[in-house]
C-alpha cells in the first residue's frame, strides 16, 4: 500500500493512498485527522467521487474522528473498468470493508449517503462486527422488507421527474463546458427547494472533481451494475448496531417518508431531521449535518 503524505491544509493532517480490492480494481483513499481518534468512514453515493464529501464537512468531522473517504470503483482516481470487468452493486459494500482492512481499522463509525446508505445497510447485515455505529441519509430501505402497517408502498414517492430526465442522459459524451452545466443543473435539482443554491459553489466542486479524476467524462457504471442480491430489508430487523437515520425533508430522490420507513425497519435506529437537507451538500448544510453526525457517534453504548 503506497502512501503519499499531502501538505497540511489548515492544520489538518491528510494522507492519500491506493487500496487494491477485488477483480483488479484499485481505489483512491484519503484520510484526514489524528489516527488516534475514532475512525469514521464516509461512503459516497452512486457515480460520485469521494470529493463529493465537502472539505468543510471532512474538517469538522476530523475534530473528533480519523476521517476516511474514498473513490468508488469507476469514479475519481480509482480504476475505471466496468465495461471490461462488470460487478454487482453489492461488491461496492465489500470494497468499503477492504478499505478498512487496508488501513488496519478493526471497527469504524460509517456514514453513507444515497447509494452509500444502501451500502451501509449491507454492512449492517454482513459486517456488523466492523461497525461502531452507522449513519444513513438520502437512501431508501433495502427491498424485501417486512410490511409496515403505518407506511404502505404507495406512500413512498419516487424520484422527482426532473431527475429521471437528467439520469436518462448519464454517460453521454459532452464537451467539458456542456458537462459542467449538466452537472450544476443536476445538483440544483438535488439541492431541493429550500436552501439557496449557489451555481459557482457546485461548479467549483465539479472542476475539482474533474481535475482529481483527470476527465470530464460522466461516470454511469453504478447505474448499469447488477442490483441482484439486495432484497434483504427484512434482515435489518436483527440489527443491533447503533444507527442514525437522517431525514432529509427536501430530498427529491428519496422524499419523506422514506427515512421514516427505513428507521422503523431497524430496531436500533434513531430518526433525526436536518431541516432544509435535500440530496446535495451545500456549505449551508454542513455545520448542522456535522453536528448531527457527531452527536450520534459520540454517544456511549
Amino acid at each position: 500500500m503506497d502512501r503519499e503524505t499531502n501538505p497540511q491544509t489548515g492544520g489538518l493532517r491528510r494522507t492519500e493512498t491506493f487500496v487494491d480490492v477485488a477483480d483488479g480494481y484499485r481505489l483512491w483513499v484519503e484520510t484526514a485527522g489524528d489516527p488516534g481518534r475514532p475512525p469514521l468512514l464516509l461512503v459516497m453515493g452512486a457515480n460520485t467521487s469521494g470529493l463529493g464529501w465537502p472539505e468543510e464537512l471532512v474538517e469538522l468531522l476530523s475534530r473528533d474522528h480519523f476521517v476516511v473517504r474514498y473513490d468508488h470503483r469507476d469514479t475519481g482516481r480509482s480504476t475505471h473498468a466496468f465495461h471490461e470487468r462488470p460487478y454487482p452493486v453489492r461488491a461496492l459494500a465489500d470494497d468499503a470493508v477492504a478499505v478498512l482492512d487496508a488501513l488496519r481499522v478493526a471497527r469504524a463509525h460509517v456514514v453513507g449517503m444515497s447509494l452509500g446508505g444502501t451500502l451501509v445497510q449491507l454492512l449492517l447485515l454482513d459486517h456488523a462486527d466492523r461497525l461502531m455505529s452507522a449513519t444513513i441519509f438520502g437512501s431508501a430501505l433495502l427491498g424485501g422488507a417486512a410490511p409496515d402497517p403505518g407506511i404502505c408502498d404507495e406512500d413512498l414517492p419516487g424520484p422527482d421527474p426532473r431527475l429521471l430526465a437528467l439520469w436518462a442522459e448519464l454517460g453521454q459524451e459532452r464537451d467539458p463546458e456542456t458537462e459542467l452545466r449538466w452537472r450544476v443543473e443536476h445538483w440544483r435539482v438535488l439541492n431541493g427547494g429550500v436552501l439557496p443554491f449557489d451555481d459557482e459553489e457546485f461548479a467549483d466542486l465539479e472542476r475539482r472533481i474533474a481535475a482529481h479524476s483527470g476527465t470530464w467524462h460522466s461516470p454511469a457504471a453504478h447505474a448499469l451494475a447488477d442490483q441482484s442480491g439486495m432484497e434483504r430489508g427484512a434482515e435489518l430487523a436483527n440489527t443491533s448496531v447503533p444507527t442514525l437515520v437522517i431525514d432529509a425533508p427536501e430530498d427529491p430522490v428519496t422524499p419523506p417518508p422514506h427515512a421514516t420507513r427505513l428507521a422503523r425497519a431497524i430496531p436500533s435506529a434513531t430518526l433525526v431531521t436536518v431541516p432544509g437537507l435535500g440530496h446535495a451538500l451545500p456549505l449551508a448544510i454542513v455545520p448542522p449535518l456535522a453536528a448531527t453526525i457527531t452527536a450520534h457517534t459520540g454517544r456511549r453504548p
Side-chain angles (χ1 to χ4, degrees):
M1 187 173 67
D2 298 326
R3 180 174 294 275
E4 172 188 350
T5 302
N6 288 339
Q8 292 185 359
T9 302
L12 181 60
R13 176 183 176 185
R14 294 179 185 262
T15 63
E16 293 182 12
T17 189
F18 288 88
V19 170
D20 293 318
V21 296
D23 307 320
Y25 282 86
R26 172 170 284 192
L27 308 184
W28 173 85
V29 179
E30 181 194 70
T31 66
D34 183 350
R37 291 174 179 158
L40 186 151
L41 178 69
L42 297 172
V43 187
M44 186 31 80
N47 304 305
T48 306
S49 161
L51 267 62
W53 296 105
E55 299 293 330
E56 294 80 2
L57 179 63
V58 171
E59 182 172 355
L60 286 175
L61 293 175
S62 70
R63 295 177 183 177
D64 299 290
H65 301 91
F66 178 59
V67 179
V68 182
R69 64 177 173 173
Y70 65 101
D71 290 339
H72 290 298
R73 305 179 188 197
D74 290 282
T75 73
R77 293 176 62 190
S78 293
T79 305
H80 292 241
F82 179 81
H83 293 292
E84 296 78 27
R85 300 194 296 279
Y87 47 82
V89 169
R90 62 183 182 275
L92 300 178
D94 295 331
D95 288 351
V97 177
V99 169
L100 295 179
D101 288 344
L103 297 176
R104 299 180 181 178
V105 172
R107 298 176 68 230
H109 299 286
V110 181
V111 178
M113 173 182 180
S114 195
L115 175 65
T118 301
L119 302 179
V120 170
Q121 292 177 63
L122 294 177
L123 294 177
L124 285 168
L125 296 177
D126 296 330
H127 300 282
D129 60 317
R130 305 299 298 274
L131 306 187
M132 300 170 70
S133 76
T135 298
I136 301 169
F137 63 101
S139 301
L141 173 63
L142 288 174
D148 186 318
I151 301 177
C152 301
D153 288 346
E154 54 267 29
D155 296 328
L156 298 171
D160 188 312
R162 294 175 297 169
L163 286 175
L164 297 177
L166 287 165
W167 291 345
E169 300 170 352
L170 272 173
Q172 292 184 6
E173 292 297 330
R174 293 178 277 264
D175 63 78
E177 183 177 345
T178 304
E179 176 66 19
L180 178 59
R181 287 198 302 268
W182 186 94
R183 294 186 188 186
V184 170
E185 180 59 26
H186 188 221
W187 283 120
R188 184 193 311 279
V189 178
L190 290 173
N191 192 63
V194 170
L195 293 179
F197 184 81
D198 184 339
D199 291 55
E200 190 54 35
E201 177 185 329
F202 283 90
D204 180 65
L205 167 66
E206 289 299 342
R207 292 187 192 102
R208 287 188 287 109
I209 288 176
H212 170 76
S213 307
T215 178
W216 277 100
H217 175 72
S218 178
H222 302 159
L224 304 173
D226 177 11
Q227 298 190 34
S228 64
M230 299 200 300
E231 297 291 310
R232 303 178 61 191
E235 298 175 46
L236 289 167
N238 301 316
T239 299
S240 59
V241 173
T243 300
L244 172 66
V245 177
I246 298 177
D247 181 22
E250 310 307 320
D251 187 350
V253 180
T254 53
H258 274 283
T260 300
R261 177 68 181 96
L262 174 58
R264 287 164 63 153
I266 303 175
S268 59
T270 301
L271 180 66
V272 174
T273 298
V274 174
L277 179 61
H279 207 87
L281 299 177
L283 294 182
I285 207 67
V286 165
L289 180 61
T292 301
I293 293 171
T294 54
H296 174 62
T297 58
R299 290 193 179 98
R300 294 293 180 262

